[in-house]
Amino acid sequence: MRRSLFVWIGVMAAVVAAAGLGAVVLSRWLASGVEEPAAESGPAPVDETRKIKARLFYVADDGVHLVPVEREVPLGATTADQARRIVEALLEPPPSPLLSAIPAGTRLRALHLTEAGQAFVDLSAEVRSAHPGGLTNEILTVYSIVDSLTVNLPGLTGVQILVDGHEADTLAGHVDLRRPLARSTFWIDEDTPR
Amino acid sequence: MFLPRFRLLIAVLATSLAGLSLHPHPALARQAAGARPAQALTVILPQARTPLPVSQSGDQLMVALDDLAPLFGLTLREDGIGGGLVVTAANGKRVLLTPGQPLASADGRLVSLPAAPARDGGRWLVPIDFLPMAIAPVTGTRVEVRRASRLVLVGDVRVPRVEIRQQEAGGVIRLTLTVAPRAGHQVTHEGNRLLLRFDATALDPVLPAVTPGPLLQGIRLGEGPATIAVDLGPRFGSYRASAATHDANSEVVVELVPAFTDQALPVPPPSAPAAEPLLNLAPPRPSVRTVVIDAGHGGDEPGASGPSGALEKEITLAIARRLRAVLEGRLGLRVLMTRDGDKTVSLDERAALANTNKADLFISLHANASLRPATRGAQVYFLSAAGAGTEASRVSLASGALPTLGGGSRDVELILWDLAQLRHVDESAAFAAILEEELRGRIAMNVRPVLQAPFRVLAAANMPAVLVETGYLTNAEDERLLKTAGHQDLIVQALLHSVIRFREARERGITAAPASSPAPNPSNPPAPSPSRPTP
Ligand SMILES: [Zn+2]
């Protein structure tokens, strides 16, 4: 089943790349997904002072892993709103000695959720233009975002990073961003949490 | 269970009792007889909890002094002359009681009781308020009686009242826990329940009646002294917990969010990848005849850079040229370069060159960067398909086509171009393992020497493919070495010997057969060979 899934993903990617229709497809995805799934319209207005404890991911001492750090994040009214707040917290310069894997100055432009539980995270151009380059840096940038969202919001099935409102191939020439990425514990060092 | 600092003392008759009437009142017997047993209270001490039998007399809860004595270290002595009672605490302070009088003298201070002490057979009953009004001041111990929750709190204990309200809206169940006085808490998801553990001696809970449903099955006191267990139903997907404090109280909100609905996957057409691949009809014994060397980055895309100014695109091109010379000269292979100069080449073009030329091996050369300057060493990567499934991305396609140079496409054995590498992951892993061994004997390896990740450039390659990170340019020593011809040659030697070994293995048919490989687990890639370290 998984195999066939990849086939269809692959088919899709082929169509997108071959026809250069990325933007069209993207807009269709966003249109087909409800920004706020019906299940999220529920509970009451949010008290701005409320916080959740979220595990955000930063660069480990060994430079090749992410470490989870429990930090307080404002409560969001909906899953999409919570996802936004998690990304915004992740984009804030962290206190020393934490090291963010995301280029300084990167802002969250928008975040959309589809009904299938995919998050589209639209970041400002700095995430690419100010990226220091290198595969490991790029992997950690991508998965600090993917894992910070999917670990704290387990209902999310995948995260796709957009740059400046558009689908992106890669941030720095390595990691394939053309489709949503699933949570990966492969990059997380659980042994040395702070 | 005994408060340790108390000890038994024999009381002496207080002379002050002499002035009080000590004759038992005839009505007392009737009053005691009217007391009927009630549900026991629970006494919560810092290290223990114990039931305290009580009886109901009118609107008063009565408790036997005999039951209180061991809890508070009290000694009881009846005044044989007057019929009164002397209660002596371990510190020598006394409480004097007179049958029929709703009064007590606690350490010399007169306190008014809501009911008079009563004799019940050989026992003395006092109203429960006797504890906070008389016992507490005499023993110097805090005592709090919570009638509604039938608790008696003794000493330094924290027993917050936790009132839980349940609301449901839009499919989300919201549990609001008002905690008074406030207490720290932790929420953990264990199996099919959420556990809310409070930083408290015990809890004084007010639980809502829960009708078991698909998201929430019940709410109850959990195991442990101050734990509430929320039993989850099969539709539970995730939860969010938040907390806020209001004055002395805190409020914890736990939202139970149903799982996103599972949309059924479409049934794949029978000729799709599950079917036996046409690759098995390919040349009888695969070998290695054509190799594509991909010098990473180039032109407008410098890639990583080092503190002394080394650029990834320059290092990769230098190594690529040396490797080409060796593979052509020593092995007689057909070698193609995705670039042989400082050119900008798209990632699609690189894979397309290899596909068009039916390359047997694709080697992408890179130099790495880390935010930690100490990070160093070489790494070998191959593809993982870490994509998340998406309904929107499942579309049908009439024919499989690979992009080829010149912008056209040609049908290639129904292998879809972005999936092409998945057929070769096992062989790619085998080559990666060989290369890691060869590199390890020559240059410094990173602590994570072989890794899988979703690489754009490898995804479309329709042949075994690896990406080599030759070292970290952000590490001063790696950067210095990578610029030297000697070090570059060590890397080239490792690649040369890896290609030789891989070619031999392929010709003897001992590398993994393509096409039968399952898609790797996106979260935790499987170990493709014994030499690959556990991630
Ligand atoms: Zn690179």
Side-chain angles (χ1 to χ4, degrees):
Chain A
M1 220 45 177
R2 161 162 291 162
R3 203 178 156 82
S4 65
L5 183 60
F6 286 125
V7 175
W8 293 113
I9 294 171
V11 168
M12 178 63 185
V15 170
V16 171
L21 289 177
V24 175
V25 171
L26 176 62
S27 61
R28 189 158 59 77
W29 278 354
L30 294 182
S32 68
V34 186
E35 182 179 353
E36 308 287 358
E40 298 298 315
S41 59
V46 170
D47 177 351
E48 282 300 315
T49 64
R50 285 186 171 281
K51 306 277 188 190
I52 64 162
K53 284 177 185 164
R55 277 151 58 91
L56 304 184
F57 291 91
Y58 296 94
V59 180
D61 285 343
D62 68 7
V64 292
H65 282 92
L66 295 167
V67 284
V69 178
E70 192 163 272
R71 300 192 67 188
E72 290 208 323
V73 172
L75 174 70
T78 61
T79 302
D81 191 32
Q82 190 64 68
R84 264 175 224 122
R85 288 168 187 265
I86 286 169
V87 175
E88 280 164 0
L90 189 65
L91 293 178
E92 280 167 22
S96 178
L98 297 182
L99 192 54
S100 173
I102 304 170
T106 302
R107 288 170 297 104
L108 178 64
R109 287 164 41 95
L111 191 150
H112 307 277
L113 278 192
T114 70
E115 250 173 329
Q118 293 165 339
F120 288 83
V121 180
D122 182 5
L123 299 174
S124 64
E126 287 86 352
V127 73
R128 190 165 50 200
S129 62
H131 199 278
L135 185 156
T136 295
N137 281 336
E138 186 179 0
I139 284 267
L140 298 186
T141 304
V142 169
Y143 280 100
S144 73
I145 295 166
V146 172
D147 286 347
S148 291
L149 283 171
T150 52
V151 165
N152 293 294
L153 301 171
L156 295 187
T157 55
V159 174
Q160 181 164 358
I161 295 169
L162 311 178
V163 180
D164 219 10
H166 296 93
E167 243 187 314
D169 252 22
T170 68
L171 292 181
H174 309 96
V175 181
D176 197 342
L177 296 184
R178 293 171 299 167
R179 52 181 177 260
L181 295 170
R183 177 166 66 102
S184 174
T185 54
F186 191 64
W187 308 104
I188 299 173
D189 180 5
E190 288 283 3
D191 296 337
T192 56
R194 322 291 160 96
Chain B
M1 184 175 303
F2 290 84
L3 298 180
R5 64 176 184 273
F6 293 107
R7 59 187 179 88
L8 289 171
L9 284 178
I10 303 300
V12 293
L13 178 61
T15 49
S16 59
L17 280 174
L20 300 171
S21 163
L22 297 176
H23 293 284
H25 193 281
L28 292 183
R30 286 197 304 276
Q31 189 179 335
R36 52 192 164 72
Q39 184 197 344
L41 305 185
T42 300
V43 179
I44 296 179
L45 300 148
Q47 303 298 333
R49 59 176 65 203
T50 182
L52 179 64
V54 290
S55 55
Q56 187 84 37
S57 174
D59 60 350
Q60 286 300 312
L61 274 184
M62 306 295 281
V63 56
L65 283 175
D66 285 341
D67 291 328
L68 296 180
L71 283 174
F72 292 92
L74 305 174
T75 308
L76 312 179
R77 183 178 173 82
E78 266 189 73
D79 169 17
I81 302 164
L85 188 71
V86 182
V87 180
T88 307
N91 58 11
K93 292 183 179 174
R94 292 173 305 185
V95 181
L96 310 179
L97 285 168
T98 306
Q101 298 285 340
L103 295 169
S105 168
D107 195 26
R109 291 183 55 186
L110 203 62
V111 294
S112 170
L113 300 174
R119 201 189 262 282
D120 177 19
R123 291 151 57 91
W124 284 81
L125 303 181
V126 292
I128 191 73
D129 283 340
F130 181 74
L131 276 75
M133 297 172 82
I135 301 288
V138 166
T139 60
T141 305
R142 189 181 83 96
V143 180
E144 182 185 343
V145 177
R146 292 189 188 169
R147 272 167 228 274
S149 38
R150 305 194 81 77
L151 292 177
V152 178
L153 313 185
V154 177
D156 184 19
V157 297
R158 302 204 296 146
V159 184
R161 166 169 279 266
V162 179
E163 189 175 347
I164 306 180
R165 282 171 293 126
Q166 180 191 342
Q167 296 161 284
E168 182 162 3
V172 174
I173 291 180
R174 166 182 280 216
L175 304 175
T176 304
L177 294 81
T178 305
V179 184
R182 69 187 184 203
H185 74 282
Q186 273 191 319
V187 185
T188 55
H189 183 191
E190 296 178 12
N192 53 358
R193 57 193 194 156
L194 292 181
L195 295 180
L196 288 85
R197 292 192 180 86
F198 289 88
D199 183 13
T201 315
L203 297 181
D204 179 1
V206 183
L207 304 175
V210 173
T211 308
L215 197 50
L216 173 64
Q217 297 271 300
I219 302 173
R220 58 191 168 80
L221 276 174
E223 299 81 21
T227 303
I228 285 173
V230 176
D231 294 316
L232 305 167
R235 277 275 287 142
F236 172 79
S238 60
Y239 75 96
R240 287 196 306 167
S242 66
T245 54
H246 304 292
D247 304 322
N249 300 344
S250 56
E251 190 174 272
V252 180
V253 173
V254 178
E255 285 170 339
L256 309 180
V257 182
F260 284 100
T261 43
D262 272 333
Q263 284 142 341
L265 301 179
V267 178
S271 62
E276 251 334 275
L278 294 163
L279 260 193
N280 283 0
L281 305 176
R285 268 283 148 87
S287 177
V288 176
R289 298 180 186 86
T290 303
V291 176
V292 168
I293 303 172
D294 173 40
H297 311 274
D300 300 337
E301 293 155 16
S305 57
S308 319
L311 295 179
E312 181 179 0
K313 66 175 184 178
E314 293 169 357
I315 303 287
T316 59
L317 183 59
I319 297 172
R321 286 171 170 161
R322 288 173 187 274
L323 179 60
R324 175 180 55 186
V326 168
L327 292 182
E328 285 176 346
R330 297 270 298 274
L331 300 185
L333 298 180
R334 177 182 175 224
V335 178
L336 302 162
M337 305 264 285
T338 56
R339 68 180 176 97
D340 189 12
D342 187 18
K343 286 199 309 180
T344 306
V345 182
S346 79
L347 298 174
D348 280 341
E349 286 175 79
R350 297 169 194 251
L353 176 81
N355 290 341
T356 306
N357 288 282
K358 295 203 164 211
D360 303 300
L361 189 58
F362 182 88
I363 299 171
S364 187
L365 297 170
H366 289 256
N368 216 331
S370 169
L371 295 178
R372 305 280 188 197
T375 305
R376 66 170 301 194
Q379 294 171 302
V380 184
Y381 290 83
F382 60 102
L383 184 77
S384 81
T390 134
E391 182 69 29
S393 68
R394 289 177 207 127
V395 297
S396 59
L397 189 72
S399 66
L402 295 182
T404 57
L405 289 182
S409 69
R410 63 190 174 98
D411 289 349
V412 180
E413 301 159 351
L414 282 178
I415 300 162
L416 303 167
W417 82 278
D418 193 36
L419 186 64
Q421 179 57 207
L422 289 185
R423 286 188 177 281
H424 305 282
V425 164
D426 283 358
E427 278 201 303
S428 299
F431 183 72
I434 293 170
L435 179 53
E436 192 259 330
E437 280 180 29
E438 294 293 334
L439 284 168
R440 185 176 290 285
R442 294 174 171 87
I443 65 172
M445 297 302 288
N446 185 261
V447 290
R448 304 191 82 184
V450 181
L451 295 164
Q452 260 183 299
F455 293 118
R456 179 72 171 80
V457 73
L458 300 186
N462 188 23
M463 70 280 314
V466 297
L467 190 155
V468 190
E469 290 287 351
T470 51
Y472 279 80
L473 285 178
T474 42
N475 176 268
E477 177 67 2
D478 271 7
E479 182 193 27
R480 184 186 68 76
L481 290 170
L482 282 168
K483 288 191 289 190
T484 66
H487 191 79
Q488 291 177 3
D489 277 338
L490 290 176
I491 294 165
V492 167
Q493 289 298 316
L495 284 160
L496 167 69
H497 284 92
S498 300
V499 172
I500 293 170
R501 285 174 60 184
F502 183 70
R503 181 175 67 174
E504 285 172 2
R506 256 197 152 196
E507 286 171 353
R508 282 157 48 205
I510 58 174
T511 61
S516 61
S517 59
N521 181 335
S523 294
N524 258 326
S529 79
S531 67
R532 185 165 170 267
T534 309

